[in-house]
Every structure is written in C-alpha cells, then in structure tokens.
Amino acid sequence: KKLFAIFIIFSLFSTALFARDSVHTINENWEFYLSKFITSNPQEKPDFLIDIPNSWQDYVETSSKSKYGYFSYRKVITGLDPNKEYAIFLAESPQNSCKFFINGKLLNQIGTPGTSSETEKPYFAPIYSIFYPDEQGNVEIIFHVSSFVQTKSGIFNSIFLGEKPDILFYYTLQNGVAWLVIGTLAILSCLNILLFVLSPKRRENL
C-alpha cells in the first residue's frame, strides 16, 4: 500500500509537470570533454557525445576506463526567445561536484570541482538557475564536473529547460512531493508502531 501511494503521487507529479508546454528535457547529444575544464566556445573537439542520465565510464573503452576524473559537458540550445526569462532544473547535481555556466557566466556551484582528490570538495544539491538567452536566442550550457569519491560519476538525472514560471512550478512541486512522501511514510510508520503497542500479539502490525 505504501509503494502504491508513492506511485500515485509521482504519477500525478509527472502529469502536472508535462502539462506545462514550455518544459522539455535536454538529455541527448551532450558534448563530453574528458580531463578538461573547458571555457565558452571551445576550440578543441569533444571526446564523444553522451546522452544523460548516464555514467561517462559507459562511453569509454574498457582498456582506458578510470574510476575517477574530471570532465566537462557542453550543449548549445537554439531557437529561444531572447526576451523571455528561462530556467533550468536538475533534481540532483552531477556527481560529485560541479560548476554550471550559461553563455560563459557562472550561475551555480555545488561543492568544488577539482583536478584531484586534494582539490575537490564533493557536495550534492538540486540545481535551479534562471537566465536569458543571448540576442540570437541561443544558450550555451557547460558543466564542469569532478569525481574522486565514487566509482560511478556523471549526470544521473534528467535536465529540464523551460520558461521560468513553468520550471519554478516544477521545482516547487518536486520539493512539495518529496516532503509529502516523507510525511506520509512517517505517519504510516507511527500508526504501525501505535497499533503494535495497542495490540502486541498481532504480528501484522510489525
């Protein structure tokens, strides 16, 4: 019953989100630069293209795989309205630490990405950032990511892009759903404990 209730909550959450026309996932064909923290409009070519959510190790040949490293993701979005305010949402920041740039400007930093375990400071948090496209309606998105803690690293959640009011609705709803699930599980757990205290011989209350 608990799992069914959680499933219903998240189904309603997903339906409410995608009813907002401007919200889209931008998960496909990210440029990936291994062992590089690139700047805006890089001259070098990416090592490969990657889809997310995924671990970058899955795209590297077995002989050259490494458990740890630092890297950059880059994607250019075109066709936006330069007069509209947009936002990006990511439920959990890339593992294990990251910087997030829009059109060359640092908008968000979670932890401190580094080129070694000594310079990295890992941390996790959601990313919600607001921005305007450039005059041509283009947006260049860059993540600097490092991982010297976990053996699997990368971006493990979908990235949502949309107009600010719609993404803000998503961000607020997602936080509300999370607290609702926690509260529901806490209440159900308390009820089970109470029933067990009142009827200790009934094992189904455990």
Side-chain angles (χ1 to χ4, degrees), residues 6 75 107 166 200:
I6 293 172
K75 188 175 182 67
L107 289 192
D166 292 344

Side-chain angles (χ1 to χ4, degrees), residues 1-196:
K1 291 182 179 179
K2 294 179 184 179
L3 292 176
F4 180 73
I6 293 172
F7 172 77
I8 293 297
I9 290 170
F10 275 101
S11 296
L12 292 172
F13 165 63
S14 300
T15 302
L17 168 62
F18 287 104
R20 303 261 166 163
D21 292 337
S22 81
V23 177
H24 304 280
T25 57
I26 49 171
N27 293 341
E28 294 80 24
N29 294 323
W30 284 78
E31 297 176 7
F32 187 88
Y33 300 80
L34 185 60
S35 301
K36 299 182 185 75
F37 285 151
I38 63 170
T39 57
S40 182
N41 298 311
Q43 299 301 312
E44 61 266 52
K45 293 183 178 180
D47 291 282
F48 48 83
L49 298 179
I50 184 171
D51 293 338
I52 59 173
N54 220 324
S55 169
W56 63 270
Q57 286 103 327
D58 296 336
Y59 285 73
V60 180
E61 293 182 5
T62 304
S63 59
S64 58
K65 279 188 178 180
S66 172
K67 294 181 179 179
Y68 310 107
Y70 64 99
F71 35 90
S72 299
Y73 293 82
R74 177 179 180 268
K75 188 175 182 67
V76 176
I77 307 295
T78 61
L80 301 180
D81 187 338
N83 298 312
K84 285 187 177 180
E85 197 171 23
Y86 290 84
I88 276 183
F89 176 74
L90 182 59
E92 184 179 271
S93 56
Q95 298 180 9
N96 294 110
S97 56
C98 78
K99 290 182 177 180
F100 172 62
F101 302 84
I102 290 285
N103 291 339
K105 180 181 178 181
L106 177 64
L107 289 192
N108 211 325
Q109 178 171 337
I110 310 295
T112 303
T115 57
S116 67
S117 58
E118 289 76 19
T119 57
E120 179 191 68
K121 293 181 180 179
Y123 195 74
F124 301 96
I127 291 178
Y128 170 72
S129 295
I130 302 165
F131 61 90
Y132 282 95
D134 64 17
E135 294 179 352
Q136 287 74 43
N138 301 328
V139 171
E140 179 194 46
I141 306 167
I142 291 177
F143 287 95
H144 289 175
V145 183
S146 69
S147 178
F148 293 94
V149 177
Q150 294 181 321
T151 56
K152 282 285 187 179
S153 57
I155 300 177
F156 294 111
N157 293 272
S158 291
I159 299 177
F160 294 94
L161 168 70
E163 295 174 17
K164 178 187 172 182
D166 292 344
I167 294 293
L168 180 59
F169 170 82
Y170 177 26
Y171 177 68
T172 304
L173 182 63
Q174 201 243 19
N175 286 338
V177 168
W179 283 110
L180 179 61
V181 170
I182 292 171
T184 301
L185 292 176
I187 292 171
L188 291 173
S189 298
C190 290
L191 286 174
N192 283 342
I193 293 171
L194 180 61
L195 290 171
F196 175 73

